[in-house]
């Protein structure tokens, strides 16, 4: 099978018939063999009934229904597990992503050997409250990951099937799939400018919380990719730094005391010196950082993933 189209959806019943007709038209035109995996993320509207109807019209349709709403990442994860095509293409259900892009995305993965091709909504039809934070967010993600993409969170992406079988999307990490892929060793990451439409039916499923959560997830993911398997290198470094500051401050206090005594003056009380408090605080914090480091090492040692590696080839 050439292509698996994975579509996560939550309350998108109005868009589905149009979306499927469009996808099918493109697939027939280019004679691709394909499947469309519609993952219903616990919709409360008629999405699931529509998927059932569509399945009778288009045999390429496969459906997965969650019992409740788990989020877009969960939906993508299950879609990826089920996908059987050589190239896996994800797109949103709301008709904001255009199926017209499929043939070119497929070609880039198949012929130009990209591991991932990410869409870039260069001209966006979204409210300004979304586009401006998104610029900032993409810039940060670029700096943190070193991946030169303009639009990390574009729903329209194409993958070599190997990629989707080797990464685990969880939480709200769908925003950072290219970073997860890079961490798994897939470095040929390309970009294609794609057409973007205004949302035709329904409403967006992510509120303002997306910016706070997106930013926090970025922090976690950059920490995890660098120190996930060696947390002590992070906590231990900070802890040692704290101790160095603490020791230097204590030494300075001691030196002051001995110096004034050698001159026969009344030695100042150590608690009169600001260095006393600096020494106290940094040593307490340093100890806590080291303890956190040890606990993190224990956690990572008991993780079932501790010896999971991506093997590319064997002879
Ligand atoms: N989606 C989902 N589960 C959720 C939220 C969203 O499967 O909990 C789907 C949604 O139906 C759509 C895609 O993820 O197909 C992108 O969502 P949306 O269009 O609301 O995001 P936006 O375009 O506003 O970033
Ligand atoms: Mg949308």
């Amino acid at each position: 099978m050439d292509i698996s189209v994975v579509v996560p959806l939550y309350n998108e019943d109005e868009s589905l018939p149009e979306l499927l007709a469009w996808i099918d038209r493109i697939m027939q035109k280019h004679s691709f063999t394909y499947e469309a995996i519609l993952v219903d993320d616990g919709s409360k509207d008629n999405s699931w009934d529509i998927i059932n109807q569509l399945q009778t019209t288009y045999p390429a349709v496969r459906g997965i229904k969650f019992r409740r709403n788990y989020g877009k990442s969960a939906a993508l994860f299950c879609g990826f597990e089920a996908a059987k095509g050589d190239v896996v293409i994800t797109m949103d259900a709301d008709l904001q992503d255009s199926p017209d892009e499929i043939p070119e995305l497929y070609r880039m993965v198949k012929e130009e050997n990209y591991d991932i091709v990410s869409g870039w909504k260069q001209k966006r039809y979204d409210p300004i409250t979304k586009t401006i934070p998104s610029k900032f967010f993409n810039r940060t993600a670029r700096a943190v990951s070193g991946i030169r993409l303009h639009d990390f969170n574009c729903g329209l992406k194409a993958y070599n099937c190997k990629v989707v079988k080797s990464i685990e999307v969880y939480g709200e990490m769908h925003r950072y799939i290219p970073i997860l892929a890079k961490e798994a060793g897939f470095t040929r990451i390309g970009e294609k400018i794609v057409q973007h439409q205004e949302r035709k039916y329904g409403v967006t499923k992510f509120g303002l919380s997306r910016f706070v959560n997106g930013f926090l997830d970025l922090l976690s993911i950059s920490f995890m990719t660098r120190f996930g398997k060696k947390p002590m290198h992070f906590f231990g470094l900070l802890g040692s730094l704290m101790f160095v500051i603490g020791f230097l401050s204590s030494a300075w206090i001691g030196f002051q005391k001995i110096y004034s005594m050698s001159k026969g003056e009344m030695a100042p009380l150590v608690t009169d010196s600001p260095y006393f408090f600096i020494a106290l605080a940094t040593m307490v914090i340093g100890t806590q950082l080291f303890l956190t480091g040890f606990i993190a090492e224990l956690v990572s040692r008991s993780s079932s993933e501790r010896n999971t590696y991506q093997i590319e080839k064997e002879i």
Side-chain angles (χ1 to χ4, degrees):
M1 187 185 296
D2 298 325
I3 302 178
S4 296
V5 184
V6 174
V7 183
L9 61 110
Y10 179 52
N11 297 342
E12 310 277 8
D13 56 0
E14 291 165 298
S15 314
L16 288 177
E18 213 168 304
L19 180 73
L20 255 292
W22 194 351
I23 293 176
D24 193 66
R25 195 166 69 239
I26 297 292
M27 297 295 185
Q28 302 304 340
K29 191 168 146 205
H30 293 81
S31 10
F32 288 132
T33 50
Y34 83 105
E35 61 181 353
I37 304 176
L38 307 179
V39 189
D40 180 346
D41 185 10
S43 297
K44 292 181 187 68
D45 64 358
N46 289 323
S47 296
W48 185 246
D49 297 334
I50 304 272
I51 293 173
N52 277 291
Q53 287 165 23
L54 287 169
Q55 215 274 326
T56 54
T57 327
Y58 310 101
V61 168
R62 298 171 65 194
I64 299 174
K65 179 167 169 55
F66 287 169
R67 201 176 295 281
R68 69 170 184 84
N69 178 237
Y70 286 105
K72 189 176 175 183
S73 293
L76 284 174
F77 175 77
C78 289
F80 286 165
E81 278 209 316
K84 296 203 197 79
D86 297 341
V87 173
V88 178
I89 294 181
T90 59
M91 60 169 62
D92 291 352
D94 55 2
L95 295 165
Q96 289 197 277
D97 300 329
S98 159
D100 289 341
E101 309 285 353
I102 291 176
E104 177 61 12
L105 288 170
Y106 175 80
R107 198 193 60 77
M108 287 175 79
V109 173
K110 217 43 201 195
E111 284 167 28
E112 293 181 36
N113 282 319
Y114 279 107
D115 294 319
I116 298 188
V117 181
S118 181
W120 172 14
K121 299 163 284 194
Q122 196 178 32
K123 180 136 181 45
R124 277 183 79 156
Y125 297 89
D126 277 324
I128 195 154
T129 47
K130 212 156 123 186
T131 51
I132 290 186
S134 150
K135 281 222 169 74
F136 162 79
F137 156 89
N138 278 305
R139 184 161 305 162
T140 318
R142 267 200 301 277
V144 165
S145 67
I147 303 173
R148 313 233 56 83
L149 287 181
H150 292 87
D151 191 359
F152 278 80
N153 192 19
C154 183
L156 184 56
K157 287 189 172 63
Y159 306 84
N160 184 313
C161 70
K162 272 186 270 176
V163 178
V164 302
K165 302 290 179 192
S166 328
I167 57 174
E168 212 168 302
V169 195
Y170 65 97
E172 292 201 6
M173 292 299 179
H174 58 268
R175 300 196 180 91
Y176 303 107
I177 296 181
I179 306 184
L180 293 175
K182 186 182 173 202
E183 187 197 1
F186 297 100
T187 45
R188 269 189 70 76
I189 300 176
E191 189 165 53
K192 176 182 187 309
I193 295 174
V194 294
Q195 290 292 326
H196 189 235
Q197 273 89 227
E198 231 168 290
R199 205 180 224 288
K200 201 161 167 188
Y201 309 103
V203 290
T204 175
K205 306 299 179 311
F206 298 98
L208 279 176
S209 65
R210 77 165 87 205
F211 301 114
V212 183
N213 295 341
F215 188 71
L216 294 175
D217 283 344
L218 185 61
L219 286 183
S220 319
I221 203 167
S222 54
F223 174 79
M224 285 299 292
T225 48
R226 284 168 67 187
F227 301 109
K229 285 197 157 55
K230 42 181 190 309
M232 196 52 168
H233 289 196
F234 176 79
F235 294 108
L237 179 71
L238 288 180
S240 309
L241 195 71
M242 288 292 152
F243 272 112
V244 169
I245 298 173
F247 281 123
L248 288 179
S249 307
S250 314
W252 179 245
I253 298 169
F255 170 77
Q256 278 182 322
K257 193 132 186 151
I258 293 167
Y259 181 74
S260 33
M261 282 191 333
S262 72
K263 293 209 316 198
E265 291 168 6
M266 254 283 273
L269 285 174
V270 290
T271 47
D272 285 346
S273 162
Y275 291 102
F276 173 77
F277 298 97
I278 293 175
L280 194 66
T282 49
M283 287 201 190
V284 171
I285 295 170
T287 312
Q288 285 179 336
L289 282 168
F290 268 100
L291 287 179
T292 311
F294 286 127
I295 293 172
E297 285 289 336
L298 283 177
V299 172
S300 87
R301 171 193 267 265
S302 27
S303 140
S304 60
E305 300 267 292
R306 68 186 174 274
N307 267 329
T308 312
Y309 309 106
Q310 302 282 338
I311 294 173
E312 190 178 1
K313 290 193 178 105
E314 271 182 85
I315 54 166

